[in-house]
Amino acid sequence: MKKKLAVGTFVFEQAETEASQSALYEKHIALTNKSHIASFAGYLMPLWYSSISDEHNAVRQAAGMFDCTHMGVLEVTGPQAEPFLNIISTNDVSKLEPGSAQYSYIIDAAGNVLDDIIVYRREKEKFMVVVNAANEPKIKAYIKGLLAGQVIIDADNPGLKLQYKPDVRDMRDTKSGKDCRVDIALQGPASVDVVLSLLKNQKDKDAIGNLKSFKFIETTIEGIDCIISRTGYTGAKVCFEFYVHPDKAGRIWDLILSSGKKFGVLPCGLGARDSLRIEAGLPLYGHELDGAFGISPFEAGYNWAVKLQKEFFIAKSAMQNRAQNYNTEVVRIEVAGEKGVRPVRQNDAIIGTGGTCIGWVLSCAKVADKQIALVYVDRDSIKEGVAIGVYYVARNSGQVQNGKKENVGKGERVNADITGKGLSRFARF
Amino acid sequence: MVVEGLYYTKEHEWVKIDGDMAIIGITDYAQEMLGEITYVEMPKLDKEVEAGDDLAVVESSKAASDVYAPVAGRVVEVNPELETRPELINEDCYDTGWLCRMETSKNAASGLMSSSEYEEFLKGL
């Protein structure tokens, strides 16, 4: 499905560039075989160190540490920072207290979701915005276009110009000096013990012990400036992210690893990052958000992060329309996944109780002896606990010759290869 | 790890040739790349293939990887253990993790790499 872009809306074509090393690359090659390192969103990142399942289990039972230094980190400052962010993002930035963060979206005036983001309010006039690594060049170009008045902000009023011009800088750019910040995540029930063991001062320890979800503190570890937030992308109830200077990221990584050893902390790669977020039901941009189907926050299950009652924000009219008119949604399902069961993959067909295709798989992961998939299906067609089927589409030409379809269309009647059931939209751990 | 005396392809299959019989598997490099293998689609018995044809599919949680026939011939036996224990490929890809046995023609090894040539090839990746 090709997306329609209204005339004058933001269009960005990303240049192909050679993958660069993340700030923690040296750590990765010391910890794992080079064949486990792959190019992801422009960075050479570890797929796994020990194994995806061991790392997944570490996060559920103890804690796991992730290199997230490839994530984009932008800073928005000045008296116009709040109104600017409130117009370019969908959640309500004005409700955010210093020391708090919120999940939100950047959506253009035509309604195309450009990214899902987390906005951290560090001070009244100082924000940190964390964007997906793969979307960082696009978001930077979009913001630049907005500040230069080159991007339409209201589809119904193309002449409308954005009046707020805060200071925006890239916090991973060395030009940001000592303020540079990159992300290292520590996720799982034991993560709080590890964070506490790294802090010297009782006030910080108390603050971490009492830190609520989507809150953060600013402190130092061994003199290294550090933002520690109760956020994450694994579904873990107890979860933290550290934002530190890239030159100090290696030191923080080593400290977490050494003090985390007795708590069972494992370094985790992209494989476990994906299986954990899928198990939890969290969307990945390009899969459960936007992507080939142009999935909206409403279809993804995040109505609450789009504040339609805000007086104005870019994409407001498009979102009002999408909120009322959608016939498809993201659902979490489970099928068998023990050894010897063929893995379910993206684009496999979902077969409803009527025996016909009701949608497709967006993402799937093996979790213990099950497979958990996020699927894109007709709205209200899959209920929790109700049986569904999955048809494996052909993986290669040999399977096509044996009669396997490469694609199954909505409504097409095919026999399911494997059965499973609907789950709740999200899981908490 | 590369085993001496076997022949190799650029697609990381290995072949052990004994007269007109060939035993086929995937290399240590391939299983390392795939990670935890959870499913193997075996070739059908008696299937006749040309060198380079689709032979099997090895799937891990992250990837589905086609295995191509390193030699031409007819499939005469498949490893029955892999149906329920695909992890044997991770554990011992050159021995208990073998994929299938093929009846092949003479000079089947022509065009394949020796162990030392494959080792050189891996260094260049």
Side-chain angles (χ1 to χ4, degrees):
Chain A
M1 225 178 287
K2 271 262 181 241
K3 279 177 301 182
K4 270 192 193 155
L5 290 170
V7 178
T9 49
F10 176 70
V11 179
F12 178 73
E13 277 179 33
Q14 189 158 342
E16 291 256 346
T17 48
E18 186 105 331
S20 48
Q21 297 179 357
S22 86
L24 294 165
Y25 182 75
E26 294 300 321
K27 303 294 169 193
H28 303 324
I29 51 170
L31 285 165
T32 191
N33 191 318
K34 241 182 174 166
S35 70
H36 300 164
I37 292 180
S39 170
F40 173 82
Y43 289 89
L44 293 168
M45 301 293 287
L47 296 173
W48 67 86
Y49 302 89
S50 45
S51 79
I52 296 173
S53 55
D54 285 353
E55 292 164 23
H56 184 112
N57 293 339
V59 171
R60 291 290 175 247
Q61 286 150 24
M65 174 167 63
F66 300 79
D67 175 4
C68 299
T69 62
H70 60 313
M71 301 282 286
V73 186
L74 304 175
E75 185 183 71
V76 183
T77 49
Q80 299 188 330
E82 180 195 296
F84 173 78
L85 286 170
N86 223 11
I87 279 181
I88 73 157
S89 66
T90 60
N91 209 332
D92 191 348
V93 180
S94 70
K95 295 273 160 53
L96 209 50
E97 299 283 335
S100 302
Q102 71 184 186
Y103 180 68
S104 188
Y105 298 99
I106 295 180
I107 305 180
D108 74 12
N112 299 298
V113 182
L114 302 181
D115 202 7
D116 58 339
I117 61 172
I118 298 189
V119 179
Y120 295 76
R121 186 169 212 160
R122 297 178 66 185
E123 294 167 16
K124 191 170 180 295
E125 296 180 359
K126 184 172 174 184
F127 296 85
M128 180 173 82
V129 179
V130 178
V131 306
N132 276 300
N135 291 332
E136 189 207 38
K138 178 178 69 181
I139 293 301
K140 280 166 72 175
Y142 178 68
I143 289 176
K144 204 174 160 190
L146 283 170
L147 292 173
Q150 293 162 343
V151 174
I152 289 175
I153 62 166
D154 186 348
D156 305 326
N157 183 7
L160 190 66
K161 292 279 181 257
L162 190 63
Q163 51 179 319
Y164 304 113
K165 307 249 188 282
D167 292 317
V168 180
R169 58 178 183 158
D170 181 348
M171 299 282 278
R172 294 192 316 147
D173 188 333
T174 48
K175 284 195 216 103
S176 296
K178 67 175 179 47
D179 295 332
C180 276
R181 288 289 178 274
V182 290
D183 181 5
I184 297 172
L186 179 65
Q187 309 272 298
S191 57
V192 64
D193 299 315
V194 182
V195 179
L196 290 174
S197 75
L198 295 173
L199 298 171
K200 293 279 170 288
N201 156 339
Q202 193 56 44
K203 201 174 133 244
D204 284 344
K205 286 178 190 269
D206 291 345
I208 285 294
N210 296 320
L211 201 64
K212 299 254 184 339
S213 183
F214 278 85
K215 300 285 178 189
F216 63 91
I217 63 165
E218 305 214 14
T219 182
T220 58
I221 294 172
E222 282 193 351
I224 300 167
D225 288 334
C226 203
I227 298 169
I228 307 176
S229 64
R230 185 83 187 257
T231 49
Y233 187 48
T234 58
K237 198 172 165 202
V238 185
C239 57
F240 295 94
E241 284 176 277
F242 295 73
Y243 292 92
V244 298
H245 193 283
D247 293 348
K248 305 292 181 190
R251 180 64 191 150
I252 296 293
W253 175 272
D254 286 344
L255 277 174
I256 294 172
L257 213 52
S258 56
S259 39
K261 204 167 183 181
K262 66 171 184 233
F263 300 108
V265 172
L266 285 187
C268 301
L270 293 176
R273 193 165 187 247
D274 200 42
S275 63
L276 288 156
R277 70 96 191 161
I278 292 169
E279 183 185 26
L282 304 175
L284 172 63
Y285 185 87
H287 287 251
E288 290 76 24
L289 261 180
D290 196 59
F293 299 108
I295 298 174
S296 73
F298 310 104
E299 294 170 293
Y302 286 85
N303 310 42
W304 58 267
V306 182
K307 298 289 194 282
L308 293 171
Q309 68 276 23
K310 280 202 295 189
E311 193 184 333
F312 175 74
F313 61 96
I314 299 172
K316 181 174 177 176
S317 63
M319 288 302 105
Q320 280 173 322
N321 189 32
R322 294 289 290 273
Q324 282 161 20
N325 304 299
Y326 65 98
N327 304 316
T328 38
E329 64 181 354
V330 176
V331 174
R332 206 167 58 103
I333 64 159
E334 157 190 298
V335 297
E338 65 270 18
K339 291 260 166 94
V341 173
R342 167 163 251 155
V344 169
R345 296 202 187 278
Q346 188 176 359
N347 204 34
D348 284 345
I350 302 300
I351 312 304
T353 38
T356 57
C357 172
I358 55 169
W360 304 275
V361 174
L362 301 166
S363 300
C364 184
K366 180 172 152 59
V367 178
D369 61 350
K370 297 268 190 282
Q371 299 185 79
I372 310 287
L374 297 175
V375 303
Y376 186 60
V377 292
D378 293 336
R379 199 172 168 184
D380 299 322
S381 66
I382 298 181
K383 296 274 180 239
E384 195 176 340
V386 170
I388 49 92
V390 179
Y391 174 89
Y392 298 117
V393 295
R395 310 276 192 251
N396 64 21
S397 57
Q399 293 174 358
V400 176
Q401 279 162 22
N402 289 335
K404 271 269 159 201
K405 290 171 184 289
E406 286 178 278
N407 283 293
V408 180
K410 189 81 76 75
E412 220 177 303
R413 186 167 291 276
V414 288
N415 290 328
D417 294 304
I418 182 169
T419 57
K421 63 176 185 188
L423 297 174
S424 60
R425 175 67 190 83
F426 297 101
R428 292 276 285 168
F429 302 91
Chain B
M1 189 185 66
V2 172
V3 173
E4 265 183 60
L6 305 181
Y7 293 95
Y8 296 88
T9 69
K10 285 182 178 169
E11 286 77 34
H12 309 289
E13 290 101 11
W14 60 261
V15 200
K16 185 178 179 182
I17 294 178
D18 185 5
D20 63 353
M21 278 296 163
I23 300 176
I24 288 146
I26 66 167
T27 67
D28 189 50
Y29 180 86
Q31 71 81 19
E32 272 279 328
M33 288 287 282
L34 280 163
E36 298 159 82
I37 292 166
T38 55
Y39 176 79
V40 183
E41 183 186 274
M42 286 298 195
K44 290 213 165 58
L45 271 185
D46 288 329
K47 180 178 170 151
E48 301 259 2
V49 291
E50 293 297 324
D53 282 358
D54 287 325
L55 187 67
V57 184
V58 178
E59 298 198 28
S60 68
S61 45
K62 287 322 288 173
S65 180
D66 292 338
V67 180
Y68 305 104
V71 294
R74 184 171 66 90
V75 178
V76 294
E77 190 184 357
V78 297
N79 183 349
E81 292 288 316
L82 293 183
E83 194 180 321
T84 50
R85 298 183 61 201
E87 68 272 22
L88 288 175
I89 298 175
N90 292 123
E91 289 164 9
D92 196 351
C93 62
Y94 292 115
D95 187 25
T96 52
W98 65 281
L99 280 174
C100 68
R101 206 133 80 117
M102 284 174 55
E103 200 176 74
T104 182
S105 61
K106 287 199 180 89
N107 304 324
S110 69
L112 297 174
M113 285 183 275
S114 68
S115 58
S116 55
E117 285 167 337
Y118 180 61
E119 233 158 336
E120 277 305 305
F121 171 72
L122 289 181
K123 279 182 199 154
L125 294 182

